[in-house]
Amino acid sequence: MKKKALHCIDVQQFNHNFLEEICDLADKIREISRTKAGMEYLASILNHKRAMLYFVQPSTRTFLSFYSACQMLGIKCAEVRDPKTSSEIKGESEEDTVRTFSLYFDLIIMRHPRANFAEKIANLLNDTDHPVPVINAGSGKDQHPTQALLDIYTLRRSFLHRGGIAGKQIAFVGDLRRGRTARSLALLLTQFQGVKLYFVAPSEYQMGQDILSFLDHQKTAYEITDDFERMIPAVDAIYMTRLQDEWDREEGISVDIDIERFSFQKRHLDLLKADGIIMHPLPRRQEIAVEVDSDPRAAYWRQVRNGMYIRVALIAGIFQRDKKILDYYLANT
Ligand code: NCD
């Protein structure tokens, strides 16, 4: 049988056991990378591999996070970020463009405006003689599986001494209908017993019915509200998101909402539990006041750092080097 590559396409492919294992591995990678010898070891693991970063939607963090994760493992990177510089401008289909990458590179990491494009490419490559792994780094308004992994990792680290993620109350705030980070994380939280989710948004931007139906099916509790201030004291984590208005033109809408009502201001810190946390996938606009950054409960800059380690762990796992890293950890730390 032809060998299939391991892809990372959507969060439905992850189970609870996988989440525990990848977070453990990321913790160990973090430890190993504290020394020069550890960094040199990590950089030797996949230094015979090359990756293509195909990012045709804007990105700072995710692109650089993957770039640094590859560098940590010794993987050499190339990038296409502007389709105008590729043969697509000569009329080539995007499918042919990406298939070309698979002939030069060992891994394709891609961000694309079309919801199912990464999945389509993964299926297409599986039927070729050179099926390299595909990682979805954001697919339109649909999913952002690696962001959900780093969010789970951040929640797990934050609740390490409070019994873990199980049983926690987590609020999502902002443009939940078009925010792929909130959608992916909500789906992934169904893997944890007894969590309760709050979706806090104006009705125009409430969480999509497809996600709510999945939560119903998984028997994960949730509440829909537009009352931001009432919800703050009730929850253990607040996941803020920005208005995704880059989609307005395509959708032909323009909704006039008072964003201020869905923003975390300095005064809200007094309402938040002493051990509650504030998260944000970033980039932010006004959803979180800059004065909040210095509060120890602001977890969004830690989230960025966690993203790099979880992506190292993910890529190492895709190339089946996870066991090797765990062995090194046991022998050297
Ligand atoms: C997000 C994205 O691109 O979906 N950013 C990220 O990857 N951290 C969030 C956003 O753009 O609002």
Side-chain angles (χ1 to χ4, degrees), residues 61-62 111 144 147 180-181 242 244 281-283:
R61 252 159 303 275
T62 306
R111 169 169 285 195
H144 195 343
Q147 177 74 40
R180 57 191 172 198
T181 60
R242 73 175 171 89
Q244 309 277 316
L282 303 177

Side-chain angles (χ1 to χ4, degrees), residues 66-82:
F66 272 114
Y67 200 97
S68 331
C70 286
Q71 276 185 333
M72 281 181 75
L73 289 164
I75 301 176
K76 292 152 199 91
C77 293
E79 60 185 81
V80 169
R81 303 192 66 174
D82 180 358

Side-chain angles (χ1 to χ4, degrees), residues 8 55 62 66 109-112 135-139 143-146 180:
C8 169
F55 274 61
T62 306
F66 272 114
I109 302 167
M110 55 189 275
R111 169 169 285 195
H112 195 276
I135 299 178
N136 174 5
S139 49
Q143 284 230 8
H144 195 343
T146 63
R180 57 191 172 198

Side-chain angles (χ1 to χ4, degrees), residues 55-279:
F55 274 61
V56 294
Q57 270 192 309
S59 178
T60 309
R61 252 159 303 275
T62 306
F63 178 84
L64 290 176
S65 180
F66 272 114
Y67 200 97
S68 331
C70 286
Q71 276 185 333
M72 281 181 75
L73 289 164
I75 301 176
K76 292 152 199 91
C77 293
E79 60 185 81
V80 169
R81 303 192 66 174
D82 180 358
K84 288 195 202 69
T85 64
S86 85
S87 280
E88 282 169 43
I89 207 83
K90 300 182 193 167
E92 183 173 55
S93 72
E94 288 177 296
E95 285 79 359
D96 283 3
T97 301
V98 184
R99 185 164 177 172
T100 306
F101 299 153
S102 75
L103 302 170
Y104 297 135
F105 297 95
D106 307 291
L107 169 66
I108 298 173
I109 302 167
M110 55 189 275
R111 169 169 285 195
H112 195 276
R114 259 185 11 232
N116 56 0
F117 189 63
E119 183 179 9
K120 191 172 175 197
I121 292 296
N123 291 335
L124 186 151
L125 295 184
N126 279 345
D127 288 333
T128 69
D129 293 334
H130 203 241
V132 305
V134 173
I135 299 178
N136 174 5
S139 49
K141 288 178 269 188
D142 190 33
Q143 284 230 8
H144 195 343
T146 63
Q147 177 74 40
L149 290 177
L150 79 88
D151 293 337
I152 290 289
Y153 184 42
T154 302
L155 287 163
R156 192 177 98 136
R157 286 175 68 83
S158 304
F159 301 141
L160 200 60
H161 305 294
R162 294 177 55 201
I165 299 175
K168 296 294 179 293
Q169 314 234 0
I170 297 155
F172 292 85
V173 186
D175 189 345
L176 309 181
R177 180 169 65 80
R178 304 180 293 187
R180 57 191 172 198
T181 60
R183 289 170 53 80
S184 287
L185 181 57
L187 291 177
L188 207 45
L189 282 167
T190 62
Q191 296 287 337
F192 297 86
Q193 288 292 322
V195 295
K196 179 169 179 189
L197 312 184
Y198 293 78
F199 298 121
V200 190
S203 57
E204 293 87 346
Y205 298 121
Q206 256 305 348
M207 188 53 95
Q209 190 53 51
D210 56 337
I211 304 291
L212 301 181
S213 301
F214 187 83
L215 298 180
D216 288 334
H217 182 260
Q218 300 299 110
K219 302 198 169 28
T220 299
Y222 63 85
E223 195 177 310
I224 289 178
T225 173
D226 63 359
D227 192 344
F228 179 58
E229 292 203 349
R230 181 187 63 84
M231 172 279 307
I232 298 174
V235 299
D236 302 289
I238 302 185
Y239 194 92
M240 303 297 300
T241 67
R242 73 175 171 89
L243 188 62
Q244 309 277 316
D245 48 9
E246 65 268 37
W247 299 103
D248 280 4
R249 201 202 303 210
E250 184 185 301
E251 291 187 349
I253 59 156
S254 163
V255 185
D256 196 16
I257 56 156
D258 179 11
I259 285 293
E260 174 76 23
R261 275 182 54 219
F262 300 92
S263 319
F264 199 103
Q265 300 302 326
K266 190 158 184 274
R267 68 174 191 280
H268 292 136
L269 286 168
D270 296 336
L271 300 175
L272 183 65
K273 284 185 185 175
D275 49 9
I277 59 165
I278 310 155
M279 298 170 69

